[in-house]
Short mmCIF file of all heavy atoms in Angstrom, two decimals:
data_model
loop_
_atom_site.label_atom_id
_atom_site.label_comp_id
_atom_site.label_asym_id
_atom_site.label_seq_id
_atom_site.Cartn_x
_atom_site.Cartn_y
_atom_site.Cartn_z
N MET A 1 0.84 -1.17 0.00
CA MET A 1 0.00 0.00 0.00
C MET A 1 0.89 1.24 0.00
O MET A 1 1.98 1.23 0.55
CB MET A 1 -0.90 -0.02 1.23
CG MET A 1 -1.84 1.13 1.31
SD MET A 1 -2.85 0.99 2.78
CE MET A 1 -4.27 1.80 2.23
N ARG A 2 0.39 2.31 -0.59
CA ARG A 2 1.16 3.54 -0.68
C ARG A 2 0.20 4.72 -0.57
O ARG A 2 -0.85 4.73 -1.17
CB ARG A 2 1.90 3.58 -2.00
CG ARG A 2 2.66 4.86 -2.23
CD ARG A 2 3.35 4.83 -3.55
NE ARG A 2 4.61 4.12 -3.35
CZ ARG A 2 5.53 4.02 -4.26
NH1 ARG A 2 5.34 4.52 -5.45
NH2 ARG A 2 6.66 3.40 -4.01
N ALA A 3 0.59 5.71 0.20
CA ALA A 3 -0.16 6.97 0.28
C ALA A 3 0.55 7.98 -0.59
O ALA A 3 1.76 8.16 -0.47
CB ALA A 3 -0.23 7.45 1.72
N LEU A 4 -0.18 8.63 -1.48
CA LEU A 4 0.40 9.59 -2.41
C LEU A 4 -0.22 10.96 -2.23
O LEU A 4 -1.39 11.08 -1.92
CB LEU A 4 0.17 9.15 -3.86
CG LEU A 4 0.78 7.84 -4.27
CD1 LEU A 4 0.27 7.45 -5.65
CD2 LEU A 4 2.29 7.94 -4.29
N SER A 5 0.58 11.99 -2.46
CA SER A 5 0.05 13.35 -2.49
C SER A 5 0.74 14.09 -3.62
O SER A 5 1.90 13.86 -3.92
CB SER A 5 0.25 14.05 -1.15
OG SER A 5 1.62 14.05 -0.79
N ARG A 6 0.00 14.98 -4.28
CA ARG A 6 0.53 15.81 -5.37
C ARG A 6 0.05 17.23 -5.14
O ARG A 6 -1.11 17.46 -4.80
CB ARG A 6 0.02 15.34 -6.72
CG ARG A 6 0.57 14.02 -7.11
CD ARG A 6 0.01 13.53 -8.40
NE ARG A 6 -0.38 14.60 -9.30
CZ ARG A 6 -0.66 14.43 -10.57
NH1 ARG A 6 -0.59 13.26 -11.10
NH2 ARG A 6 -1.02 15.44 -11.32
N PHE A 7 0.93 18.20 -5.37
CA PHE A 7 0.60 19.60 -5.14
C PHE A 7 1.14 20.45 -6.27
O PHE A 7 2.20 20.18 -6.81
CB PHE A 7 1.22 20.08 -3.81
CG PHE A 7 0.85 19.22 -2.65
CD1 PHE A 7 1.70 18.21 -2.24
CD2 PHE A 7 -0.35 19.40 -2.00
CE1 PHE A 7 1.35 17.40 -1.18
CE2 PHE A 7 -0.70 18.59 -0.95
CZ PHE A 7 0.14 17.59 -0.52
N GLY A 8 0.42 21.51 -6.59
CA GLY A 8 0.89 22.47 -7.58
C GLY A 8 0.58 22.06 -8.99
O GLY A 8 -0.20 21.15 -9.25
N GLY A 9 1.21 22.78 -9.93
CA GLY A 9 1.07 22.46 -11.33
C GLY A 9 -0.20 22.96 -11.99
O GLY A 9 -0.45 22.64 -13.14
N ARG A 10 -0.99 23.75 -11.31
CA ARG A 10 -2.27 24.18 -11.88
C ARG A 10 -2.16 25.43 -12.75
O ARG A 10 -2.95 25.61 -13.66
CB ARG A 10 -3.28 24.41 -10.77
CG ARG A 10 -3.65 23.11 -10.07
CD ARG A 10 -4.66 23.33 -9.02
NE ARG A 10 -5.85 23.96 -9.59
CZ ARG A 10 -6.95 24.14 -8.94
NH1 ARG A 10 -7.04 23.77 -7.69
NH2 ARG A 10 -7.97 24.72 -9.51
N ASP A 11 -1.25 26.32 -12.44
CA ASP A 11 -1.10 27.54 -13.23
C ASP A 11 0.33 28.05 -13.12
O ASP A 11 1.19 27.39 -12.56
CB ASP A 11 -2.12 28.60 -12.80
CG ASP A 11 -1.98 29.02 -11.34
OD1 ASP A 11 -0.86 28.94 -10.79
OD2 ASP A 11 -2.98 29.43 -10.74
N GLY A 12 0.59 29.24 -13.65
CA GLY A 12 1.93 29.80 -13.66
C GLY A 12 2.51 30.09 -12.29
O GLY A 12 3.72 30.15 -12.11
N ARG A 13 1.66 30.26 -11.27
CA ARG A 13 2.17 30.51 -9.92
C ARG A 13 2.83 29.28 -9.33
O ARG A 13 3.76 29.38 -8.54
CB ARG A 13 1.03 30.96 -8.99
CG ARG A 13 0.44 32.29 -9.35
CD ARG A 13 -0.67 32.66 -8.41
NE ARG A 13 -1.67 31.60 -8.42
CZ ARG A 13 -2.50 31.33 -7.41
NH1 ARG A 13 -2.47 32.04 -6.32
NH2 ARG A 13 -3.38 30.36 -7.51
N TYR A 14 2.32 28.11 -9.70
CA TYR A 14 2.85 26.84 -9.18
C TYR A 14 3.10 25.91 -10.36
O TYR A 14 2.39 24.93 -10.56
CB TYR A 14 1.86 26.20 -8.21
CG TYR A 14 1.48 27.10 -7.07
CD1 TYR A 14 0.26 27.75 -7.05
CD2 TYR A 14 2.35 27.31 -6.02
CE1 TYR A 14 -0.09 28.59 -6.01
CE2 TYR A 14 2.02 28.14 -4.98
CZ TYR A 14 0.79 28.77 -4.98
OH TYR A 14 0.46 29.60 -3.95
N PRO A 15 4.14 26.19 -11.17
CA PRO A 15 4.34 25.42 -12.40
C PRO A 15 4.87 24.00 -12.18
O PRO A 15 4.82 23.18 -13.08
CB PRO A 15 5.35 26.26 -13.17
CG PRO A 15 6.12 26.97 -12.11
CD PRO A 15 5.12 27.24 -11.01
N VAL A 16 5.38 23.71 -11.01
CA VAL A 16 5.98 22.41 -10.75
C VAL A 16 5.06 21.60 -9.85
O VAL A 16 4.46 22.13 -8.91
CB VAL A 16 7.36 22.58 -10.06
CG1 VAL A 16 7.95 21.24 -9.69
CG2 VAL A 16 8.30 23.36 -10.96
N VAL A 17 4.93 20.32 -10.13
CA VAL A 17 4.13 19.43 -9.30
C VAL A 17 5.04 18.73 -8.32
O VAL A 17 6.02 18.09 -8.72
CB VAL A 17 3.36 18.40 -10.15
CG1 VAL A 17 2.63 17.42 -9.27
CG2 VAL A 17 2.41 19.08 -11.09
N LEU A 18 4.77 18.86 -7.04
CA LEU A 18 5.51 18.17 -5.99
C LEU A 18 4.78 16.87 -5.68
O LEU A 18 3.58 16.87 -5.44
CB LEU A 18 5.57 19.04 -4.73
CG LEU A 18 6.11 18.37 -3.48
CD1 LEU A 18 7.59 18.05 -3.64
CD2 LEU A 18 5.88 19.26 -2.28
N ARG A 19 5.52 15.78 -5.71
CA ARG A 19 4.93 14.47 -5.40
C ARG A 19 5.65 13.90 -4.19
O ARG A 19 6.87 14.00 -4.07
CB ARG A 19 5.08 13.52 -6.58
CG ARG A 19 4.26 13.91 -7.77
CD ARG A 19 4.48 12.94 -8.92
NE ARG A 19 3.69 13.30 -10.06
CZ ARG A 19 4.12 14.05 -11.06
NH1 ARG A 19 5.35 14.52 -11.04
NH2 ARG A 19 3.34 14.33 -12.06
N HIS A 20 4.89 13.27 -3.32
CA HIS A 20 5.47 12.63 -2.14
C HIS A 20 4.72 11.33 -1.90
O HIS A 20 3.50 11.30 -1.92
CB HIS A 20 5.33 13.55 -0.92
CG HIS A 20 5.89 12.95 0.33
ND1 HIS A 20 7.24 12.81 0.54
CD2 HIS A 20 5.27 12.44 1.42
CE1 HIS A 20 7.43 12.24 1.72
NE2 HIS A 20 6.25 12.00 2.27
N ALA A 21 5.46 10.26 -1.68
CA ALA A 21 4.85 8.95 -1.44
C ALA A 21 5.27 8.44 -0.06
O ALA A 21 6.40 8.63 0.36
CB ALA A 21 5.28 7.95 -2.50
N VAL A 22 4.34 7.78 0.62
CA VAL A 22 4.63 7.11 1.88
C VAL A 22 4.34 5.64 1.65
O VAL A 22 3.19 5.24 1.46
CB VAL A 22 3.75 7.67 3.03
CG1 VAL A 22 4.02 6.90 4.32
CG2 VAL A 22 4.00 9.16 3.22
N ASP A 23 5.40 4.82 1.62
CA ASP A 23 5.23 3.39 1.41
C ASP A 23 4.78 2.70 2.68
O ASP A 23 5.26 3.00 3.77
CB ASP A 23 6.55 2.76 0.93
CG ASP A 23 6.90 3.20 -0.48
OD1 ASP A 23 5.97 3.28 -1.30
OD2 ASP A 23 8.07 3.46 -0.74
N HIS A 24 3.86 1.80 2.53
CA HIS A 24 3.36 0.97 3.63
C HIS A 24 2.91 1.80 4.83
O HIS A 24 3.41 1.61 5.95
CB HIS A 24 4.40 -0.06 4.05
CG HIS A 24 4.93 -0.86 2.91
ND1 HIS A 24 4.17 -1.78 2.24
CD2 HIS A 24 6.14 -0.83 2.30
CE1 HIS A 24 4.89 -2.31 1.27
NE2 HIS A 24 6.09 -1.75 1.28
N PRO A 25 1.96 2.74 4.64
CA PRO A 25 1.50 3.54 5.78
C PRO A 25 0.87 2.64 6.84
O PRO A 25 0.11 1.73 6.53
CB PRO A 25 0.47 4.49 5.17
CG PRO A 25 0.07 3.88 3.87
CD PRO A 25 1.22 3.06 3.42
N GLN A 26 1.25 2.86 8.06
CA GLN A 26 0.73 2.08 9.18
C GLN A 26 -0.39 2.80 9.90
O GLN A 26 -1.22 2.18 10.54
CB GLN A 26 1.86 1.77 10.17
CG GLN A 26 3.00 0.99 9.56
CD GLN A 26 2.54 -0.35 9.04
OE1 GLN A 26 2.00 -1.16 9.79
NE2 GLN A 26 2.73 -0.61 7.76
N ARG A 27 -0.36 4.13 9.79
CA ARG A 27 -1.38 4.93 10.49
C ARG A 27 -1.64 6.20 9.68
O ARG A 27 -0.71 6.86 9.24
CB ARG A 27 -0.89 5.29 11.88
CG ARG A 27 -1.93 6.00 12.72
CD ARG A 27 -1.44 6.24 14.13
NE ARG A 27 -0.40 7.26 14.09
CZ ARG A 27 0.61 7.31 14.94
NH1 ARG A 27 0.74 6.42 15.88
NH2 ARG A 27 1.50 8.28 14.85
N VAL A 28 -2.91 6.52 9.47
CA VAL A 28 -3.32 7.76 8.83
C VAL A 28 -4.36 8.40 9.73
O VAL A 28 -5.42 7.84 9.97
CB VAL A 28 -3.91 7.52 7.42
CG1 VAL A 28 -4.36 8.84 6.81
CG2 VAL A 28 -2.91 6.81 6.52
N LEU A 29 -4.02 9.56 10.25
CA LEU A 29 -4.93 10.29 11.13
C LEU A 29 -5.34 11.58 10.46
O LEU A 29 -4.55 12.21 9.76
CB LEU A 29 -4.25 10.60 12.47
CG LEU A 29 -3.76 9.40 13.26
CD1 LEU A 29 -2.95 9.86 14.46
CD2 LEU A 29 -4.93 8.55 13.71
N SER A 30 -6.57 11.99 10.70
CA SER A 30 -7.08 13.25 10.16
C SER A 30 -7.57 14.11 11.31
O SER A 30 -8.04 13.59 12.33
CB SER A 30 -8.23 12.95 9.21
OG SER A 30 -8.84 14.16 8.80
N ASP A 31 -7.45 15.43 11.14
CA ASP A 31 -8.01 16.31 12.15
C ASP A 31 -9.53 16.27 12.06
O ASP A 31 -10.10 15.58 11.22
CB ASP A 31 -7.48 17.74 11.98
CG ASP A 31 -7.87 18.36 10.65
OD1 ASP A 31 -8.38 17.63 9.78
OD2 ASP A 31 -7.65 19.55 10.48
N THR A 32 -10.21 17.00 12.93
CA THR A 32 -11.66 16.99 12.92
C THR A 32 -12.19 17.56 11.61
O THR A 32 -11.58 18.43 11.00
CB THR A 32 -12.23 17.82 14.09
OG1 THR A 32 -11.72 19.14 13.97
CG2 THR A 32 -11.85 17.22 15.42
N THR A 33 -13.30 17.04 11.18
CA THR A 33 -13.89 17.47 9.91
C THR A 33 -14.88 18.60 10.16
O THR A 33 -15.90 18.42 10.79
CB THR A 33 -14.64 16.29 9.25
OG1 THR A 33 -13.73 15.22 9.10
CG2 THR A 33 -15.19 16.68 7.91
N GLN A 34 -14.53 19.77 9.68
CA GLN A 34 -15.42 20.91 9.72
C GLN A 34 -15.44 21.51 8.33
O GLN A 34 -14.38 21.86 7.79
CB GLN A 34 -14.97 21.95 10.74
CG GLN A 34 -15.07 21.45 12.17
CD GLN A 34 -14.65 22.53 13.16
OE1 GLN A 34 -14.31 23.64 12.78
NE2 GLN A 34 -14.69 22.19 14.42
N ARG A 35 -16.60 21.62 7.77
CA ARG A 35 -16.73 22.11 6.39
C ARG A 35 -16.11 23.50 6.23
O ARG A 35 -16.33 24.37 7.05
CB ARG A 35 -18.19 22.14 6.01
CG ARG A 35 -18.41 22.44 4.58
CD ARG A 35 -19.87 22.39 4.22
NE ARG A 35 -19.97 22.34 2.79
CZ ARG A 35 -20.64 21.43 2.12
NH1 ARG A 35 -21.32 20.53 2.77
NH2 ARG A 35 -20.66 21.46 0.82
N GLY A 36 -15.31 23.66 5.18
CA GLY A 36 -14.75 24.96 4.86
C GLY A 36 -13.53 25.35 5.68
O GLY A 36 -13.15 26.51 5.72
N THR A 37 -12.87 24.39 6.32
CA THR A 37 -11.69 24.70 7.13
C THR A 37 -10.46 24.00 6.57
O THR A 37 -10.56 23.08 5.76
CB THR A 37 -11.88 24.27 8.60
OG1 THR A 37 -12.06 22.85 8.64
CG2 THR A 37 -13.07 24.94 9.23
N THR A 38 -9.29 24.43 7.02
CA THR A 38 -8.04 23.78 6.67
C THR A 38 -8.04 22.37 7.23
O THR A 38 -8.54 22.12 8.32
CB THR A 38 -6.87 24.58 7.27
OG1 THR A 38 -6.91 25.89 6.72
CG2 THR A 38 -5.53 23.95 6.96
N ARG A 39 -7.48 21.42 6.47
CA ARG A 39 -7.43 20.02 6.90
C ARG A 39 -5.98 19.58 7.05
O ARG A 39 -5.12 20.04 6.32
CB ARG A 39 -8.08 19.11 5.86
CG ARG A 39 -9.54 19.39 5.59
CD ARG A 39 -10.45 19.03 6.74
NE ARG A 39 -10.23 17.71 7.28
CZ ARG A 39 -10.80 16.60 6.84
NH1 ARG A 39 -11.63 16.63 5.84
NH2 ARG A 39 -10.55 15.45 7.42
N ALA A 40 -5.74 18.67 7.98
CA ALA A 40 -4.39 18.12 8.16
C ALA A 40 -4.48 16.60 8.29
O ALA A 40 -5.43 16.07 8.87
CB ALA A 40 -3.74 18.71 9.40
N PHE A 41 -3.48 15.92 7.71
CA PHE A 41 -3.38 14.47 7.79
C PHE A 41 -2.00 14.11 8.31
O PHE A 41 -1.00 14.69 7.88
CB PHE A 41 -3.59 13.84 6.41
CG PHE A 41 -4.96 14.09 5.85
CD1 PHE A 41 -5.20 15.19 5.07
CD2 PHE A 41 -5.99 13.22 6.12
CE1 PHE A 41 -6.45 15.44 4.55
CE2 PHE A 41 -7.26 13.45 5.61
CZ PHE A 41 -7.49 14.57 4.83
N ASP A 42 -1.95 13.16 9.20
CA ASP A 42 -0.70 12.67 9.79
C ASP A 42 -0.55 11.23 9.32
O ASP A 42 -1.38 10.38 9.64
CB ASP A 42 -0.81 12.74 11.31
CG ASP A 42 0.43 12.27 12.03
OD1 ASP A 42 1.42 11.91 11.36
OD2 ASP A 42 0.42 12.27 13.27
N VAL A 43 0.50 10.95 8.53
CA VAL A 43 0.72 9.62 7.97
C VAL A 43 2.04 9.09 8.52
O VAL A 43 3.07 9.75 8.44
CB VAL A 43 0.77 9.67 6.43
CG1 VAL A 43 0.92 8.27 5.85
CG2 VAL A 43 -0.45 10.37 5.86
N VAL A 44 2.02 7.88 9.07
CA VAL A 44 3.21 7.25 9.65
C VAL A 44 3.48 5.96 8.90
O VAL A 44 2.59 5.13 8.73
CB VAL A 44 3.02 6.98 11.16
CG1 VAL A 44 4.26 6.33 11.74
CG2 VAL A 44 2.69 8.26 11.91
N ASP A 45 4.73 5.79 8.42
CA ASP A 45 5.07 4.60 7.66
C ASP A 45 5.55 3.46 8.56
O ASP A 45 5.58 3.59 9.79
CB ASP A 45 6.08 4.91 6.55
CG ASP A 45 7.48 5.21 7.05
OD1 ASP A 45 7.78 5.02 8.25
OD2 ASP A 45 8.31 5.63 6.22
N ALA A 46 5.94 2.35 7.95
CA ALA A 46 6.33 1.14 8.68
C ALA A 46 7.56 1.35 9.55
O ALA A 46 7.75 0.65 10.55
CB ALA A 46 6.57 -0.01 7.70
N GLU A 47 8.40 2.34 9.20
CA GLU A 47 9.61 2.60 9.98
C GLU A 47 9.41 3.69 11.02
O GLU A 47 10.35 4.09 11.69
CB GLU A 47 10.76 2.98 9.03
CG GLU A 47 11.15 1.84 8.11
CD GLU A 47 12.26 2.23 7.15
OE1 GLU A 47 12.67 3.41 7.15
OE2 GLU A 47 12.71 1.35 6.41
N GLY A 48 8.18 4.20 11.12
CA GLY A 48 7.89 5.23 12.10
C GLY A 48 8.13 6.65 11.61
O GLY A 48 8.03 7.60 12.38
N VAL A 49 8.45 6.81 10.31
CA VAL A 49 8.66 8.14 9.75
C VAL A 49 7.30 8.81 9.57
O VAL A 49 6.37 8.22 9.01
CB VAL A 49 9.41 8.07 8.41
CG1 VAL A 49 9.54 9.44 7.79
CG2 VAL A 49 10.79 7.45 8.61
N GLN A 50 7.20 10.03 10.03
CA GLN A 50 5.93 10.76 10.05
C GLN A 50 5.91 11.82 8.95
O GLN A 50 6.88 12.56 8.75
CB GLN A 50 5.76 11.42 11.41
CG GLN A 50 4.49 12.20 11.58
CD GLN A 50 4.41 12.81 12.97
OE1 GLN A 50 5.41 13.25 13.52
NE2 GLN A 50 3.22 12.82 13.53
N THR A 51 4.80 11.90 8.23
CA THR A 51 4.57 12.92 7.23
C THR A 51 3.27 13.63 7.59
O THR A 51 2.26 12.98 7.81
CB THR A 51 4.44 12.32 5.81
OG1 THR A 51 5.65 11.66 5.48
CG2 THR A 51 4.14 13.39 4.78
N ILE A 52 3.32 14.94 7.65
CA ILE A 52 2.11 15.73 7.92
C ILE A 52 1.78 16.51 6.66
O ILE A 52 2.62 17.23 6.12
CB ILE A 52 2.29 16.66 9.12
CG1 ILE A 52 2.53 15.82 10.37
CG2 ILE A 52 1.08 17.57 9.30
CD1 ILE A 52 2.83 16.63 11.61
N VAL A 53 0.55 16.36 6.19
CA VAL A 53 0.07 17.06 5.01
C VAL A 53 -1.03 18.01 5.46
O VAL A 53 -1.98 17.60 6.11
CB VAL A 53 -0.49 16.08 3.96
CG1 VAL A 53 -1.04 16.82 2.76
CG2 VAL A 53 0.57 15.06 3.56
N THR A 54 -0.89 19.29 5.11
CA THR A 54 -1.90 20.28 5.44
C THR A 54 -2.52 20.80 4.15
O THR A 54 -1.80 21.18 3.23
CB THR A 54 -1.29 21.46 6.22
OG1 THR A 54 -0.62 20.94 7.38
CG2 THR A 54 -2.36 22.44 6.67
N LEU A 55 -3.84 20.78 4.07
CA LEU A 55 -4.56 21.27 2.90
C LEU A 55 -5.22 22.59 3.24
O LEU A 55 -6.07 22.65 4.14
CB LEU A 55 -5.62 20.25 2.48
CG LEU A 55 -5.13 18.83 2.21
CD1 LEU A 55 -6.30 17.93 1.88
CD2 LEU A 55 -4.10 18.82 1.09
N TYR A 56 -4.80 23.63 2.56
CA TYR A 56 -5.38 24.95 2.75
C TYR A 56 -6.40 25.21 1.67
O TYR A 56 -6.13 24.98 0.49
CB TYR A 56 -4.29 26.03 2.69
CG TYR A 56 -3.26 25.89 3.77
CD1 TYR A 56 -2.07 25.23 3.53
CD2 TYR A 56 -3.48 26.42 5.03
CE1 TYR A 56 -1.12 25.09 4.52
CE2 TYR A 56 -2.53 26.28 6.04
CZ TYR A 56 -1.36 25.62 5.77
OH TYR A 56 -0.41 25.48 6.76
N LEU A 57 -7.55 25.68 2.02
CA LEU A 57 -8.60 25.97 1.06
C LEU A 57 -8.32 27.28 0.35
O LEU A 57 -7.94 28.25 0.98
CB LEU A 57 -9.95 26.04 1.75
CG LEU A 57 -10.41 24.75 2.43
CD1 LEU A 57 -11.72 24.97 3.13
CD2 LEU A 57 -10.54 23.64 1.40
N THR A 58 -8.49 27.27 -0.95
CA THR A 58 -8.39 28.50 -1.73
C THR A 58 -9.65 28.61 -2.58
O THR A 58 -10.19 27.60 -3.04
CB THR A 58 -7.15 28.50 -2.65
OG1 THR A 58 -7.21 27.38 -3.51
CG2 THR A 58 -5.88 28.44 -1.85
N PRO A 59 -10.13 29.81 -2.79
CA PRO A 59 -11.32 29.96 -3.62
C PRO A 59 -11.06 29.56 -5.05
O PRO A 59 -9.97 29.78 -5.59
CB PRO A 59 -11.67 31.44 -3.52
CG PRO A 59 -10.46 32.11 -2.97
CD PRO A 59 -9.61 31.07 -2.29
N LEU A 60 -12.03 28.91 -5.68
CA LEU A 60 -11.91 28.54 -7.08
C LEU A 60 -12.10 29.77 -7.94
O LEU A 60 -12.99 30.58 -7.70
CB LEU A 60 -12.97 27.49 -7.45
CG LEU A 60 -12.82 26.14 -6.77
CD1 LEU A 60 -14.01 25.26 -7.13
CD2 LEU A 60 -11.54 25.47 -7.20
N SER A 61 -11.25 29.91 -8.93
CA SER A 61 -11.40 31.05 -9.84
C SER A 61 -12.06 30.58 -11.12
O SER A 61 -11.88 29.46 -11.55
CB SER A 61 -10.04 31.67 -10.14
OG SER A 61 -9.21 30.72 -10.76
N GLY A 62 -12.81 31.46 -11.71
CA GLY A 62 -13.26 31.12 -12.98
C GLY A 62 -14.61 30.97 -13.35
O GLY A 62 -15.10 30.62 -14.27
#
């Protein structure tokens, strides 16, 4: 199993896509779910390495 995240690449402000993979995640925790708020995920792999992903909401343009 693998947890993947990709960021950026949508327009000229973020032309590069950042990819990060966590192999063999043992634990995935999420903060409380409240509509319209910033979200955070805590992913821990088989070796105990921790990755925290924070999702910030931005208004859709267009």
Side-chain angles (χ1 to χ4, degrees):
M1 181 179 209
R2 176 180 276 187
L4 298 171
S5 56
R6 291 177 29 167
F7 306 96
R10 293 181 57 172
D11 60 28
R13 294 180 303 155
Y14 304 103
V16 176
V17 175
L18 170 67
R19 293 179 180 94
H20 179 72
V22 177
D23 290 320
H24 308 291
Q26 300 299 302
R27 186 176 70 210
V28 178
L29 301 172
S30 173
D31 62 350
T32 58
T33 304
Q34 293 182 1
R35 188 177 195 127
T37 62
T38 300
R39 300 290 311 272
F41 297 90
D42 181 2
V43 183
V44 180
D45 72 9
E47 295 178 356
V49 176
Q50 181 180 37
T51 299
I52 297 176
V53 178
T54 304
L55 305 177
Y56 298 95
L57 298 177
T58 57
L60 294 175
S61 61

